[in-house]
Amino acid sequence: MGTGGGNTASSDRVVGSIVDMAGVSRAKVFPRSRLSAFAEAGAGASSSWSVFCVDDHLAFTPSFSVTGDLRLRIDPDEVRDLGNGTYWAPANLCEQDGTPSQSCTRGALRRVTTRLAESGLSARTGHEIEFTLFDAASTEEWSAYGLNAVLAQEEFFERLLAAASSAELPIEQVHAEAGLNQFEVSLAPADPVEAADNAVLARALISRVARVQGLRASFSPMPVAGGAGNGAHQHVSFTERGLPILSGGPGPHGLTLAGGAAVAGILRALPEFTAVLAGSVLSHLRLRPGMWSGVFRCWGLENREAAVRLCADTAGNPHGANLEIKPIDPSANPYLSSAAILGAAHDGITGGLTLPDEVSVDPADLSGTHAVDLLPTLSSDMLGAFESSALARDLFGPLIMEALVAVRGYEHAEYRAKPVDEVAQRFRYAWTS
C-alpha cells in the first residue's frame, strides 16, 4: 500500500471515501500533491453526511443538522493506485481537532476488533461481492455458473484482475452467479477493518472497469424486480489466544465450546441487526425462502438456506473453518455489518451461550415444533428490533444508532409502499461507486 515513489503528475488525484448509513460511498478528492493535507488536516464534511439517504435526502435529527463540521482524514500508508492517475484511500470521520468522531462507522468496527483482542480473540473476515452487469452479454448465451457466461465477459475480468493487482486488492476467485448477467468476486480474508476497506475498493474497481467496458455494474439487492438478488456474504473465522475456535473441538463438525457460543451469539442477535445487514427498501425482496439469502435463523454445515453456514476445516477449505453470514446484502455499510457480526459473536462467547441444534435440511421443509424462525422483513419489525437492541447501542453508540434509524426510517416510509418495479429501477445503481 501507499502512494509509492516516482513523479506526481499535476493531474493526479487522491479520493478519500466513507460509507454512509444507506450503504452509499461518499467522497472528497484532493490533488495528489496535497496528500499530506488530506492526511493531517483532512477534507471538510458536514455532520449531516451521516444522515444522507439512498435518494440523497437528508434525514436530519437533533444530532445531525445544518450545523457542525467534521473532517475526512486518510492514512497515506493506505492509499491504493487505481490507475490513470487516480488513487484511493478509506477515510475516517474525525472531529475538527483530529479526534475520532463517534459517528465514524469505520471507527465502530475498529472498536469491536479491539474489544475482541482484549478478550484474547481475533477475527478474520472475507467478503463476497455479487453484482449484475447491464448492457452485457446476450441472454441467449447465459448459463448459471456457466463457463460461457464468464468467457463472454473475459475482457471485463482481464481488466478487473489487472486493476486489482495494481491496487493490491486480493481477489481469490470470480465466477458467474445464478442470475442473468450476475457475477461474484471473492476476496481473501484479512483483518476485519482491512477486509471492509477491500470490499469498498472492490466495488469501486468493478464499477470503474464496467464503465470503461461500456457497461454498468449494479450492486442493488434486487436490480430487477423478480430477478436474482445480489448478496454481500461475509466469511468470518476466529482464534482464541492463537488457536482456532471453529475447528478442533468436541462439538459438531469440530466446533469448540467457544465456537458454538459464537454461532449462538450471532443467531440470537440477527433479528436485532437485520436493519443493518439487509435494511434497504429492496432488501426484503431478496430476503426470502428459496433465494439462498439466509432468511432462516438457524445454522448448518454447508446449508445455503441457513443464516449461518458452517464451512468446516477440510482439505477443500484452505483458510480453515469459517462461518458464512448469508443475510448481508450490498446496501449494508460493510463496517457496520462486520461490527454487528463480530460483536454478536463476542457477546455469545463471553455469555457462554449454548449452540442451538443444527439444521441439516432445507429449513423450509420443517414445520410444527421443528419450524425455523424467519428474520424480520417488515419495516416496523426490523427498525423496532434495532432501536430496542442493547447490544447494538453498546457496539455502535448513540450517534450511529440515531443516524441509521433516521435514514432507514425515512427510506421505508418514502419507498416501501411504492411499486416494486419503480423502486428497483430507481435504485439500480444507488450502490455503484
Side-chain angles (χ1 to χ4, degrees):
M1 298 184 188
T3 57
N7 297 326
T8 300
S10 60
S11 60
D12 285 359
R13 55 227 163 260
V14 179
V15 181
S17 69
I18 64 166
V19 183
D20 66 17
M21 305 302 165
V24 176
S25 292
R26 312 270 177 186
K28 289 290 184 90
V29 184
F30 271 39
R32 190 177 166 209
S33 60
R34 297 195 68 241
L35 175 64
S36 60
F38 210 165
E40 296 165 10
S46 165
S47 63
S48 62
W49 272 38
S50 292
V51 289
F52 265 120
C53 299
V54 69
D55 62 357
D56 293 337
H57 172 84
L58 285 167
F60 287 134
T61 74
S63 301
F64 301 99
S65 64
V66 297
T67 62
D69 199 47
L70 299 171
R71 310 297 293 182
L72 271 66
R73 299 177 69 176
I74 66 170
D75 183 340
D77 291 335
E78 294 176 337
V79 172
R80 315 280 190 103
D81 183 359
L82 304 191
N84 296 322
T86 298
Y87 297 80
W88 170 87
N92 298 299
L93 271 179
C94 298
E95 302 293 342
Q96 291 283 7
D97 62 4
T99 57
S101 169
Q102 292 301 300
S103 62
C104 179
T105 62
R106 192 169 185 253
L109 176 55
R110 188 178 289 111
R111 291 193 297 273
V112 171
T113 60
T114 298
R115 181 178 298 190
L116 264 65
E118 291 170 348
S119 299
L121 295 159
S122 65
R124 290 177 67 78
T125 303
H127 292 252
E128 295 178 355
I129 314 294
E130 291 183 357
F131 60 97
T132 304
L133 289 177
F134 285 83
D135 298 321
S138 166
T139 58
E140 296 177 358
E141 299 177 6
W142 188 263
S143 298
Y145 305 100
L147 173 63
N148 63 339
V150 174
L151 294 183
Q153 291 298 332
E154 58 184 318
E155 186 176 353
F156 169 85
F157 285 108
E158 177 186 357
R159 289 176 181 264
L160 177 61
L161 293 175
S165 178
S166 296
E168 300 179 58
L169 177 70
I171 290 179
E172 291 215 321
Q173 71 170 34
V174 299
H175 65 262
E177 265 288 345
L180 177 63
N181 294 324
Q182 184 186 42
F183 299 90
E184 179 183 291
V185 170
S186 298
L187 305 181
D191 166 85
V193 175
E194 180 183 351
D197 293 340
N198 286 341
V200 177
L201 173 60
R203 282 161 61 162
L205 290 179
I206 292 166
S207 300
R208 198 164 184 254
V209 171
R211 284 191 290 268
V212 170
Q213 293 291 113
L215 307 172
R216 296 292 302 279
S218 171
F219 301 91
S220 168
M222 189 57 62
V224 177
N230 288 317
H233 313 148
Q234 291 183 25
H235 289 258
V236 60
S237 62
F238 300 92
T239 59
E240 185 173 28
R241 294 174 176 83
L243 297 176
I245 67 171
L246 300 178
S247 61
H253 314 296
L255 286 171
T256 68
L257 290 178
V263 173
I266 293 170
L267 290 175
R268 182 173 71 173
L270 278 177
E272 302 170 30
F273 288 109
T274 305
V276 176
L277 309 181
S280 78
V281 293
L282 291 167
S283 296
H284 67 286
L285 300 173
R286 169 185 170 270
L287 205 59
R288 295 183 300 180
M291 299 286 284
W292 290 16
S293 60
V295 71
F296 291 97
R297 188 157 67 103
C298 61
W299 76 278
L301 177 68
E302 301 295 0
N303 192 332
R304 286 174 168 79
E305 277 284 71
V308 178
R309 169 193 171 210
L310 173 63
C311 304
D313 183 18
T314 66
N317 194 350
H319 295 298
N322 64 83
L323 305 174
E324 181 186 27
I325 314 304
K326 298 190 68 67
I328 309 169
D329 72 41
S331 70
N333 179 310
Y335 301 103
L336 293 185
S337 58
S338 294
I341 296 305
L342 297 180
H346 179 256
D347 189 54
I349 294 170
T350 57
L353 297 188
T354 300
L355 177 70
D357 290 339
E358 178 183 4
V359 173
S360 57
V361 299
D362 186 341
D365 293 337
L366 300 177
S367 60
T369 58
H370 299 289
V372 177
D373 292 339
L374 299 177
L375 297 182
T377 55
L378 292 177
S379 306
S380 57
D381 293 342
M382 280 195 300
L383 291 175
F386 179 69
E387 282 189 276
S388 61
S389 171
L391 180 59
R393 189 164 297 276
D394 181 44
L395 296 177
F396 297 156
L399 287 182
I400 289 177
M401 292 280 292
E402 179 181 329
L404 195 143
V405 169
V407 167
R408 292 308 193 196
Y410 161 81
E411 291 174 353
H412 281 263
E414 187 72 15
Y415 295 104
R416 185 66 183 260
K418 292 186 182 297
V420 170
D421 286 350
E422 176 186 325
V423 179
Q425 184 173 355
R426 170 72 173 81
F427 298 121
R428 181 170 296 156
Y429 303 112
W431 297 280
T432 300
S433 297

